[in-house]
Amino acid sequence: MNIKNVVTIGSATLDVFVESDDANIVSVRKKDHSTDFMSYPYGSKLEITDFDTHVGGGGVNTAVNFANLGLNTSAIFKVGDDIYSKGLFHFFGAKNVNIDSVIIDKKDTTGFSIILVSFEGDRTVLAHRGSNAHLKKSDINFDLIKNADLLYMAPLSGDSNKLLDDLVKFAKENNTKVCFNAGTTGIKKGFNYLKKILASADVVVMNKEEASMATGIMLRQDTKEIKFSQMPIHPDLKEMFKKLKVSDYQIIVITDGGNGAYAYDGHQYYFCPIFDSPVVSTLGAGDAFASTFCAAMGRYDLDILKSLQAASINSSGVVSVFPATEGQMTFEQIEEKMAQHPDYKASVIEKEN
């Protein structure tokens, strides 16, 4: 899979990060699952421990990552004509990304997020989608996609999600490879809707929660204490892979946070542990993993094991610093890490009969 020219389509936001030492993490358990909540004393005025503003969003994070990995990268996203979009364009002035196809809507607002960061490095996002939710077919530069080697579809929100089918179908008809990182908006439309998009995607990346939501398959609670990396692939996870892989040529990847990542090509199941690093913020780690995996599949001639390793190493850099794009590595830096840690390997954990 030769990849030199990439087009990314996704969201662009101005992110305001807020951290307070007064935040609590509360765990609520039911018989069949548990949920963690970030909480603050109700009705109180709290001191902000740390505050920062950065550009983010799946379209932004992945475009910057592809460019950082040495690929000719063009980004398509939609912004308003406001002070927030000026910050976005200023940010891209220092990045090697073509933004000629970015759409400015004078009647809409730029996406905006308030991100509440916990003392554990995880986050809760309060998102105003703005123009990210109103991308239309007439906004898209289809010639750009036609001439690209890879179309990377980051999650699209709101009405923008209606474009997914047309975009991946057009890319497939024009021999442009498709990497699809599913988002909850599309997943909530049901598997029959999602199946049409999956059928045209060469690489599909979801996290475990998204895969469960998309397939309707739950990982059973009685296996929570088992380390998946020390056993054949869990039967429920295997069932997810089987349902998500709707075309023979596809690679399906399911990430599981700090537990590592899995992949399936129709013949073998692969597992890659996380690459250990300090965790400052997990924001953007999924974007870095998915886009690096797709780029690495081109660089390493469809070597799934090496691509999983590269993606894990790059996402480890993202979680170790703040903001997300500051931790992204080049392929040369990733390969230097591989050479320094020869024992860090992905592996085949099960083969089909």
Side-chain angles (χ1 to χ4, degrees), residues 82-305:
D82 50 31
I83 190 171
Y84 306 127
S85 64
K86 290 177 174 60
L88 279 162
F89 288 123
H90 177 74
F91 169 82
F92 274 106
K95 308 296 180 184
N96 191 25
V97 176
N98 177 1
I99 56 171
D100 291 344
S101 295
V102 170
I103 306 98
I104 302 174
D105 189 337
K106 295 184 180 295
K107 297 180 180 179
D108 211 339
T109 58
T110 302
F112 183 88
S113 294
I114 298 173
I115 299 169
L116 306 175
V117 183
S118 81
F119 57 84
E120 292 182 333
D122 218 330
R123 81 286 183 214
T124 296
V125 181
L126 307 177
H128 169 62
R129 300 300 182 185
S131 52
N132 289 315
H134 305 134
L135 198 61
K136 297 178 292 187
K137 190 173 181 178
S138 58
D139 293 326
I140 304 298
N141 182 347
F142 280 92
D143 284 339
L144 194 65
I145 298 171
K146 184 177 181 179
N147 295 317
D149 300 311
L150 176 70
L151 171 65
Y152 182 93
M153 293 298 309
L156 295 174
S157 59
D159 289 342
S160 299
N161 197 262
K162 297 175 182 177
L163 291 177
L164 273 175
D165 195 17
D166 287 336
L167 289 169
V168 297
K169 183 179 179 182
F170 178 85
K172 203 67 185 173
E173 289 171 350
N174 288 278
N175 297 314
T176 300
K177 300 294 184 184
V178 176
C179 185
F180 175 47
N181 186 1
T184 54
T185 300
I187 290 171
K188 286 178 179 178
K189 291 187 175 183
F191 188 76
N192 287 337
Y193 166 80
L194 197 64
K195 189 175 181 179
K196 294 188 297 180
I197 298 155
L198 294 174
S200 297
D202 298 270
V203 178
V204 178
V205 184
M206 297 183 185
N207 63 39
K208 186 178 67 176
E209 290 72 27
E210 290 166 341
S212 179
M213 188 189 309
T215 60
I217 299 165
M218 299 291 291
L219 280 170
R220 283 166 287 183
Q221 185 78 6
D222 59 0
T223 62
K224 259 197 164 183
E225 300 304 318
I226 299 174
K227 292 183 178 179
F228 291 143
S229 59
Q230 296 177 1
M231 60 179 289
I233 188 164
H234 189 279
D236 295 341
L237 202 56
K238 183 187 288 189
E239 193 177 348
M240 288 182 197
F241 275 121
K242 294 281 190 181
K243 188 168 183 177
L244 290 171
K245 187 172 170 56
V246 297
S247 297
D248 290 340
Y249 53 80
Q250 286 174 318
I251 308 296
I252 310 295
V253 179
I254 297 178
T255 61
D256 190 16
N259 293 320
Y262 302 83
Y264 176 57
D265 62 1
H267 306 287
Q268 299 181 131
Y269 296 92
Y270 305 80
F271 174 77
C272 186
I274 62 167
F275 188 79
D276 284 335
S277 65
V279 177
V280 174
S281 171
T282 59
L283 195 70
D287 294 329
F289 184 98
S291 52
T292 302
F293 180 85
C294 295
M297 287 287 282
R299 185 176 179 89
Y300 303 131
D301 194 25
L302 301 179
D303 187 328
I304 294 175
L305 293 173

Side-chain angles (χ1 to χ4, degrees), residues 58-87:
V60 169
N61 292 339
T62 53
V64 174
N65 189 47
F66 279 122
N68 203 44
L69 292 169
L71 302 175
N72 298 322
T73 306
S74 300
I76 299 176
F77 52 81
K78 196 169 190 176
V79 296
D81 185 15
D82 50 31
I83 190 171
Y84 306 127
S85 64
K86 290 177 174 60

Side-chain angles (χ1 to χ4, degrees), residues 5-78:
N5 302 304
V6 179
V7 175
T8 69
I9 300 179
S11 61
T13 65
L14 187 70
D15 294 332
V16 178
F17 295 81
V18 178
E19 186 171 359
S20 173
D21 286 344
D22 292 320
N24 302 293
I25 297 175
V26 179
S27 183
V28 177
R29 291 182 174 85
K30 293 186 178 180
K31 183 178 180 180
D32 57 346
H33 72 279
S34 64
T35 306
D36 292 330
F37 295 88
M38 188 184 300
S39 71
Y40 299 87
Y42 184 68
S44 301
K45 180 183 286 187
L46 307 175
E47 292 291 328
I48 292 175
T49 309
D50 201 5
F51 172 90
D52 211 346
T53 304
H54 293 282
V55 172
V60 169
N61 292 339
T62 53
V64 174
N65 189 47
F66 279 122
N68 203 44
L69 292 169
L71 302 175
N72 298 322
T73 306
S74 300
I76 299 176
F77 52 81
K78 196 169 190 176

